[in-house]
Amino acid sequence: MTPSLFSPPGLSLPPSPARLSPSFAFRPRAAPATDLPTSSSSSDPVSQSPPPPRVIVVGAGLAGLAAAARLRSDDVPFLLLEASDAVGGRVRTDLVDGFLLDRGFQIFITGYPEARKLLDYRALDLRRFYSGARVYYGGRFHTVADPVRHFSDSIKTLANPIGSVLDKLLIGLTRIRVLSRSDRDILTADEVRTIDLLTELGFSDSILDRFFRPFFGGIFFDKELETTSRLFEFVFKCLALGDNALPATGIAAIPEQLALKLPRESILLNTKVESIEFDDSGSPVLRLESGEILRSELGVIVAVEEPEAAKLLAGKYKGTKADRKLPRSTVCLYFAADGDRIPVKDPVLFLNGSGKGIVNNMFFATNVAPSYGPPGKALVSVSLIGLFEGASDGDLAAQVVRELADWFGESAAGSWRHLRTYRVAFAQPNQCPPTDLTKDPRVGSGVYVCGDYVTSSTFDGALVSGRLAAEALLKDRALIRI
């Protein structure tokens, strides 16, 4: 989750468009066995195969796509291997009963610096959220508004119970402070837990419990706010510099746009790497699930989640125990509703500030992007923190509806139809202190890793890590352009 409250004027996004037909134009081909070297072709499959690719990238999530884009910019040929049936990794969208369902609650912040360099925002047709939130507390909703975007709304809410007037002034001072610092300074600064930083800055318990825990706890999937202050300040800065938005055709439009800029023949889907081993010379050798073997001329970039990277590299990955804490998890539930029966028409995020129940945040996705649902229908997105392994999907859906009936009324929530539940075990790496958000991507001779666990657990962190891994490889091979 990556919503924004403290806005910037900077990027002007168009108003919500007329309904668009969902379009997923990018569909690279799957890899038939004949496309890759096969161990059955001879006793020495490598010598009898076509020349090896110069670089192999394992994983076509945001990090792998960014690494491939960087290689492409220096005209270095590569092969991008993806185990699933489409690019994107965790950033995927499904079409269910005419609704666009992102796999987990994901909102894009246009203030991400690396994303601004790589993505064409206009082509993504981004739809904006209201710059603020509505907090459910004391049996009613209270608005928290961005004073830059919605000055009159923010003045009206100064005396509401979501924090004191001093708390709201402190938010403004924190905004000024983070905007005055470089990203590098923020990501390498001394760190504490986010909750400790906020307490030290003087925020009251009321705003910590009613706003910061559901809002930033929803971003980091960490209600206790134990995530490093480095990540909090980086995200806070990006929120101050960008809009919260969704691509009109789903969050998957982001990786699809990156993939469309790459040579189609360089991407192989449904191609799972089983292991990465090292030969007698120390060079990496990839063994596919099919039994086929691949080598690369220059090196391998491993762009998968950290647990999978550790498994593929069979102990060669040098991540410390501190780097490999239990990941953050979430459950996202989607419901369909009649468009004329939803209680709110605004494109706003709702937060649970009551301290009760399992719902952390929710929004009506079709209020933000009408293209997320069929004509006349509304899509409800609800986010929980944790996996709730002891509860069935049906039980969770029923409990969510009961809670939201208290928020919006039984006549509204009682008619919602459950569409799908996504349980995302690895939603984000756990980035509690101690952290290193500027890790060296080199993990062995000719092997590099990238992903949001290498940098920051954000869309931008994944993109940065992919670029840095590719640049490390190019530098080591003396191919980088100065």
Side-chain angles (χ1 to χ4, degrees):
M1 165 190 168
T2 47
S4 169
L5 290 180
F6 318 107
S7 64
L11 289 170
S12 177
L13 300 178
S16 295
R19 182 167 304 278
L20 303 175
S21 297
S23 173
F24 301 93
F26 180 76
R27 288 291 182 268
R29 64 187 177 85
T34 54
D35 287 341
L36 299 173
T38 62
S39 56
S40 60
S41 58
S42 75
S43 59
D44 183 1
V46 175
S47 64
Q48 297 299 316
S49 298
R54 301 208 77 189
V55 178
I56 296 175
V57 181
V58 181
L62 292 181
L65 291 165
R70 182 63 183 87
L71 295 170
R72 172 71 167 168
S73 71
D74 270 27
D75 298 321
V76 176
F78 61 87
L79 191 61
L80 178 55
L81 308 179
E82 169 55 42
S84 71
D85 60 354
V87 300
R90 283 172 268 156
V91 186
R92 295 281 300 272
T93 303
D94 296 318
L95 182 61
V96 177
D97 293 349
F99 292 92
L100 297 179
L101 308 186
D102 296 330
R103 295 186 182 180
F105 182 37
Q106 303 183 65
I107 297 178
F108 181 67
I109 301 176
T110 61
Y112 286 139
E114 192 77 8
R116 286 188 172 194
K117 300 172 189 174
L118 282 177
L119 298 172
D120 180 346
Y121 285 5
R122 185 166 296 277
L124 287 174
D125 195 11
L126 297 171
R127 310 284 94 192
R128 292 184 298 181
F129 281 76
Y130 174 84
S131 294
R134 289 187 188 155
V135 181
Y136 183 72
Y137 173 75
R140 57 186 294 247
F141 292 106
H142 307 273
T143 297
V144 177
D146 174 7
V148 177
R149 294 286 180 82
H150 307 293
F151 180 74
S152 61
D153 287 355
S154 66
I155 292 297
K156 294 174 186 175
T157 63
L158 280 176
N160 73 21
I162 312 304
S164 65
V165 173
L166 176 59
D167 287 323
K168 288 152 192 175
L169 291 174
L170 285 173
I171 288 176
L173 292 174
T174 302
R175 183 180 188 274
I176 293 169
R177 183 172 57 83
V178 297
L179 287 174
S180 69
R181 301 169 63 196
S182 71
D183 295 341
R184 177 78 183 180
D185 285 346
I186 289 172
L187 295 175
T188 58
D190 292 341
E191 64 177 338
V192 295
R193 300 182 308 163
T194 293
I195 187 64
D196 295 331
L197 173 67
L198 294 172
T199 301
E200 181 182 328
L201 291 174
F203 287 102
S204 70
D205 288 343
S206 64
I207 198 165
L208 290 177
D209 293 339
R210 298 166 197 170
F211 173 71
F212 280 105
R213 289 189 190 277
F215 184 77
F216 283 96
I219 291 174
F220 305 136
F221 302 114
D222 167 27
K223 253 187 176 175
E224 302 308 312
L225 298 181
E226 295 180 337
T227 298
T228 174
S229 55
R230 293 169 175 167
L231 187 56
F232 166 78
E233 293 192 322
F234 175 71
V235 170
F236 199 105
K237 179 180 178 180
C238 292
L239 293 173
L241 291 173
D243 291 298
N244 292 337
L246 290 173
T249 56
I251 204 71
I254 293 172
E256 287 177 358
Q257 184 184 98
L258 292 171
L260 282 169
K261 298 176 182 178
L262 304 175
R264 189 177 185 86
E265 66 276 7
S266 69
I267 304 175
L268 300 182
L269 301 180
N270 300 311
T271 305
K272 181 175 175 57
V273 177
E274 191 73 21
S275 65
I276 301 174
E277 301 161 1
F278 294 84
D279 62 18
D280 293 340
S281 67
S283 298
V285 178
L286 281 71
R287 183 174 299 277
L288 305 186
E289 189 176 50
S290 63
E292 297 163 284
I293 293 174
L294 286 178
R295 298 176 187 264
S296 67
E297 181 183 344
L298 300 177
V300 175
I301 297 175
V302 181
V304 297
E305 295 167 356
E306 185 178 27
E308 182 64 16
K311 177 183 172 184
L312 286 179
L313 292 168
K316 297 291 184 181
Y317 173 61
K318 302 300 182 184
T320 66
K321 289 184 179 179
D323 294 328
R324 287 181 278 167
K325 311 175 189 81
L326 289 175
R328 299 299 187 188
S329 303
T330 185
V331 178
C332 182
L333 299 94
Y334 287 102
F335 299 86
D338 291 333
D340 58 358
R341 297 192 65 181
I342 60 171
V344 178
K345 302 298 182 183
D346 298 325
V348 66
L349 178 70
F350 291 87
L351 304 176
N352 184 358
S354 71
K356 302 173 183 177
I358 63 173
V359 173
N360 186 75
N361 56 272
M362 62 83 63
F363 73 112
F364 297 94
T366 39
N367 287 357
V368 180
S371 47
Y372 266 61
K377 297 295 181 180
L379 178 64
V380 184
S381 172
V382 183
S383 181
L384 320 180
I385 296 175
L387 271 185
F388 295 87
E389 293 175 290
S392 69
D393 288 356
D395 288 343
L396 277 183
Q399 186 170 348
V400 163
V401 168
R402 285 194 298 271
E403 287 185 22
L404 295 182
D406 289 339
W407 293 23
F408 300 112
E410 174 64 32
S411 61
S415 64
W416 296 350
R417 175 172 64 90
H418 180 223
L419 287 170
R420 182 169 291 186
T421 295
Y422 291 92
R423 296 178 188 252
V424 187
F426 194 102
Q428 285 182 14
N430 183 330
Q431 294 194 321
C432 297
T435 64
D436 177 3
L437 305 186
T438 58
K439 297 183 185 73
D440 188 334
R442 300 170 178 86
V443 297
S445 177
V447 179
Y448 307 79
V449 293
C450 58
D452 55 4
Y453 68 93
V454 179
T455 50
S456 66
S457 55
T458 61
F459 279 30
D460 215 59
L463 296 173
V464 168
S465 73
R467 171 176 59 80
L468 292 178
E471 288 179 350
L473 182 152
L474 294 172
K475 182 179 180 180
D476 291 348
R477 301 304 184 186
L479 292 174
I480 198 165
R481 292 177 180 173
I482 306 301

